[in-house]
Amino acid sequence: MALTDVWFLLIAVLWTGYLVLEGFDFGVGMLLPVVGRDPIDRKVTLKTIGPVWDGNEVWLLVAGGATFAAFPFWYATLFSGFYLALLIILVALILRGIALEYRGKLDDATWHRRWDAVIVGSSAVPALLWGVALANIVRGVPMGADHEYAGTFFTLLNPYALLGGITTLLLFALHGAIFLALKTHGEVHDRALKVVPPIGIATVVAAAGFLGWTQTLDGSWITWLLALAAALCLIGGLVASRLGREGWAFIGTAATIALAAATLFTTLYPNVLPSTTDAAFSLTTVNAASTAYTLKIMTWVAVIFTPVVLAYQGYTYWVFRRRLGRSDIPVTAQKANA
């Protein structure tokens, strides 16, 4: 296997890891007013992702950096053509981080409500736009022989991409609801379980439509198998949630996201950004890649440091594995919000 193929695979894994881990973060943020009916329950909800949300975003930084280093022409075309969409995502992620950090600085109901609204909005916007971006990458964009994007922001808002955005929005909301059911007990746990069936049904419909449409673009027997496996994992996760097996339900939705991402990247390969103007203008793993020497150095760096990062993040999840409830909120905080 050529190093260009290895790095395409590694970048696909990095983006998949980001979508799986940040997906439940986005879902928790979107569901904050639904499962957190009072200030204490909202604190419980946010505490479930408090120790891990910033670590989950590291996957985005590494994926973006790896794309820049391994496939600079892909990175350049993406960030010029998708500039406004990616800028909106970046602003949303910045606001989300600020909101999560600053929300608890004051014991004031109005202060909390405003930051809660920011958390909800800044979780929903990236959840939608990441799906739009990924769908456009797979579908292709208008691009000339110079590999310059020839469309506008509204070119990206085509029906296929919008369906992709709706699918990721719903899938992340479902992933977040199941994560909350896994990580909490008491009222937040019960409310999270109640929203799983309606969100789950909507997700099944949207995901089936999106993955089915994807197969009509450039599907193969491998992508059909991956899409079918994603569907089975989604249904299995919903059944496990119904049976009260939150751990298996979470594995089901996580596997659904991972297999859906695998379907998209497998459909994309060997392209990294197809051209809808002329297939000859498409960016591929060959013409978009860095030099062999650069890829060789990157490979050694990845071999050395990736296990360290994975071990540290795994340890973090292990330390903060306990379920949370209202009893875990300090008495002083409960009195302040009474």
Side-chain angles (χ1 to χ4, degrees):
M1 182 181 291
L3 283 179
T4 52
D5 296 329
V6 170
W7 274 98
F8 179 84
L9 177 61
L10 289 176
I11 288 171
V13 170
L14 289 170
W15 279 107
T16 300
Y18 171 71
L19 295 172
V20 171
L21 296 175
E22 191 83 310
F24 69 75
D25 282 352
F26 290 147
V28 170
M30 288 187 283
L31 295 173
L32 180 60
V34 178
V35 299
R37 301 290 178 81
D38 61 40
I40 305 304
D41 283 344
R42 284 192 286 274
K43 285 193 174 185
V44 172
T45 301
L46 293 176
K47 273 184 173 291
T48 62
I49 61 172
V52 298
W53 70 267
D54 49 353
N56 293 342
E57 289 192 349
V58 170
W59 287 76
L60 173 61
L61 299 176
V62 177
T67 303
F68 169 75
F71 299 101
F73 295 103
W74 184 17
Y75 182 93
T77 303
L78 276 179
F79 276 76
S80 59
F82 292 39
Y83 180 80
L84 182 55
L86 294 175
L87 177 62
I88 293 172
I89 291 174
L90 178 61
V91 171
L93 292 177
I94 292 172
L95 289 175
R96 182 168 170 269
I98 293 172
L100 289 169
E101 293 292 337
Y102 275 79
R103 183 189 184 277
K105 298 298 182 182
L106 291 178
D107 285 325
D108 180 77
T110 301
W111 174 271
H112 290 166
R113 280 197 304 271
R114 289 172 179 172
W115 285 119
D116 287 348
V118 173
I119 291 171
V120 174
S122 60
S123 297
V125 169
L128 175 71
L129 291 184
W130 279 130
V132 171
L134 286 170
N136 276 295
I137 291 172
V138 173
R139 172 181 175 270
V141 295
M143 191 164 52
D146 56 359
H147 302 308
E148 291 289 335
Y149 177 67
T152 66
F153 172 74
F154 295 101
T155 305
L156 303 176
L157 303 181
N158 55 80
Y160 173 72
L162 290 174
L163 179 58
I166 293 171
T167 300
T168 53
L169 181 75
L170 291 170
L171 186 53
F172 291 165
L174 177 64
H175 197 36
I178 291 177
F179 175 77
L180 282 172
L182 175 65
K183 282 290 294 178
T184 62
H185 56 80
E187 295 180 4
V188 173
H189 170 272
D190 296 340
R191 293 190 193 112
L193 282 181
K194 285 182 180 179
V195 301
V196 167
I199 298 176
I201 293 172
T203 303
V204 168
V205 174
F210 177 62
L211 291 178
W213 195 340
T214 300
Q215 297 312 301
T216 67
L217 299 178
D218 192 19
S220 64
W221 67 269
I222 297 177
T223 56
W224 273 111
L225 285 178
L226 290 171
L228 177 60
L232 292 175
C233 286
L234 178 56
I235 294 171
L238 293 174
V239 172
S241 173
R242 182 73 174 177
L243 297 175
R245 304 296 297 272
E246 288 95 359
W248 285 107
F250 182 75
I251 292 174
T253 52
T256 300
I257 296 173
L259 288 166
T263 302
L264 295 179
F265 279 102
T266 304
T267 302
L268 180 62
Y269 180 82
N271 294 319
V272 293
L273 188 62
S275 170
T276 57
T277 306
D278 189 325
F281 301 154
S282 298
L283 284 170
T284 69
T285 57
V286 176
N287 64 19
S290 291
T291 64
Y293 184 67
T294 300
L295 294 177
K296 187 179 295 184
I297 293 176
M298 289 176 60
T299 302
W300 280 110
V301 171
V303 168
I304 295 170
F305 290 103
T306 300
V308 177
V309 175
L310 291 175
Y312 173 77
Q313 191 163 29
Y315 176 74
T316 302
Y317 276 93
W318 174 257
V319 169
F320 295 101
R321 68 189 182 278
R322 188 170 61 87
R323 289 179 183 257
L324 301 173
R326 295 176 69 92
S327 59
D328 295 289
I329 304 301
V331 177
T332 54
Q334 295 193 34
K335 289 181 178 179
N337 291 282

